[in-house]
Amino acid sequence: MAYCSSPLPLSLDCGGKVLDLNRPQVMGILNLTPDSFSDGGKYLLLEQALQRAHQMVEEGAAIIDIGGESTRPGATPVPLEEELRRVIPIIEALSQALPVPLSIDTSKPEVMRAAVAAGAGLINDVSALQEEGALPAASELGVPICLMHMQGKPQTMQQNPVYSDVVKEVCGFLLERVVACERAGISRERLILDPGFGFGKKSIHNLLLLKHLNRICELGFPVLVGLSRKSLIGAMLKVPVEERLYGSLAVAALAVWQGAVIVRTHDVRATAQALILCDSVRKAGDKGSL
């Protein structure tokens, strides 16, 4: 299943701003949506969104992921013009105000183009550039891209997801998308992989992916994980969204221990501290470590 044994990139050039991958990094979530499962409606006003983004950078976020369309199970698709209206003003404002890169969380090629023109330096696509026009747009824009696995669409993905071997199938899908990207002129050095926890997966599928995440990390690409406050944690701990911090930290540490280098989270300060400790233990005794 291994794709390449070459070393992972030590950094990514995200539109002129560098994302350092020498250690695990936190991607702070900024949802400009009324219906996201955890923080929907909190940052609809420009001033609220700006304040939250600055706060996350102060707390340790190395990149801010901006989304204008919820991809929670059952979410209603957002028209193009509405998604642009939500994300472009905040990207324009933050690209000048923040020292860290910005990521655009979208599957629409029109939004990708407008967001990068406004200052976004990374494309985070839950559809792995499968929408019409997404591959050529991403190729032309020249920024890094995160390819995520999802079985089905957000509207139906959790109705009855089925796998014979979830780890093998997720790895196979991601490698297929890598090949598609390379054929479209996107170099592997620009690619990040995301197994898509919670996207068309039951709790057992998510647990197996986390247990064997090292197999995805061994494919030869930086791996991003998004487990923050998700239903897996709620199902295991029997707690509502607002009480899932401790579980989120546990699964983030497990993911980083197996090789994930980017953790997408709502809870930046706590996650950043957990990752520092996890990384310190992993590197203990290495040359240059404490």
Side-chain angles (χ1 to χ4, degrees):
M1 181 62 70
Y3 178 80
C4 178
S5 59
S6 61
L8 295 177
L10 298 180
S11 64
L12 291 172
D13 180 356
C14 299
K17 294 181 180 179
V18 175
L19 179 60
D20 179 15
L21 298 180
N22 283 289
R23 60 183 178 85
Q25 298 287 10
V26 169
M27 171 184 274
I29 299 170
L30 186 61
N31 286 323
L32 310 178
T33 56
D35 56 344
S36 292
F37 82 95
S38 180
D39 56 356
K42 287 188 175 181
Y43 309 114
L44 297 182
L45 299 179
L46 181 62
E47 189 57 37
Q48 292 173 326
L50 288 170
Q51 183 177 3
R52 178 58 181 154
H54 282 278
Q55 180 186 13
M56 288 193 288
V57 172
E58 292 171 1
E59 292 178 350
I63 183 169
I64 303 296
D65 192 42
I66 298 168
E69 179 176 38
S70 175
T71 51
R72 64 175 174 78
T76 302
V78 173
L80 171 61
E81 291 305 318
E82 175 62 15
E83 187 174 347
L84 289 169
R85 185 193 67 78
R86 292 176 181 179
V87 301
I88 299 306
I90 189 67
I91 292 173
E92 289 175 338
L94 290 177
S95 65
Q96 300 297 319
L98 294 182
V100 304
L102 304 178
S103 167
I104 178 62
D105 181 359
T106 189
S107 296
K108 297 183 178 74
E110 300 91 344
V111 178
M112 295 175 190
R113 294 181 187 279
V116 172
L122 187 146
I123 296 166
N124 183 18
D125 184 5
V126 299
S127 295
L129 301 181
Q130 294 184 95
E131 298 299 321
E132 184 177 355
L135 263 175
S139 179
E140 294 165 17
L141 292 171
V143 299
I145 304 124
C146 183
L147 306 171
M148 196 195 79
H149 174 275
M150 172 171 55
Q151 188 181 99
K153 298 289 185 180
Q155 295 75 35
T156 59
M157 64 185 179
Q158 290 303 107
Q159 289 180 1
N160 187 33
V162 176
Y163 299 86
S164 57
D165 183 333
V166 65
V167 180
K168 181 179 179 180
E169 290 173 47
V170 168
C171 286
F173 169 84
L174 291 173
L175 289 180
E176 288 176 2
R177 297 312 300 159
V178 167
V179 171
C181 285
E182 291 183 319
R183 287 174 176 167
I186 302 170
S187 69
R188 68 182 306 275
E189 288 76 20
R190 288 170 53 193
L191 299 178
I192 301 166
L193 304 183
D194 180 350
F197 288 102
F199 284 82
K201 299 170 183 76
K202 298 177 182 177
S203 290
I204 185 58
H205 302 138
N206 291 312
L207 291 170
L208 286 169
L209 278 173
L210 185 56
K211 181 178 181 178
H212 300 289
L213 188 65
N214 62 301
R215 287 171 56 185
I216 297 173
C217 295
E218 289 167 0
L219 294 177
F221 300 85
V223 169
L224 180 152
V225 296
L227 283 154
S228 178
R229 304 183 189 175
K230 286 194 171 175
S231 59
L232 167 67
I233 300 164
M236 296 296 102
L237 302 181
K238 311 299 183 189
V239 293
V241 170
E242 62 271 15
E243 296 178 18
R244 296 178 187 173
L245 171 60
Y246 302 146
S248 297
L249 295 177
V251 292
L254 287 168
V256 167
W257 188 259
Q258 295 191 72
V261 293
I262 306 172
V263 175
R264 186 177 182 272
T265 184
H266 304 85
D267 304 293
V268 171
R269 186 186 302 279
T271 304
Q273 291 181 356
L275 298 195
I276 288 171
L277 289 172
C278 187
D279 189 51
S280 297
V281 175
R282 285 198 61 181
K283 292 178 178 175
D286 293 351
K287 184 178 179 180
S289 69
L290 293 176

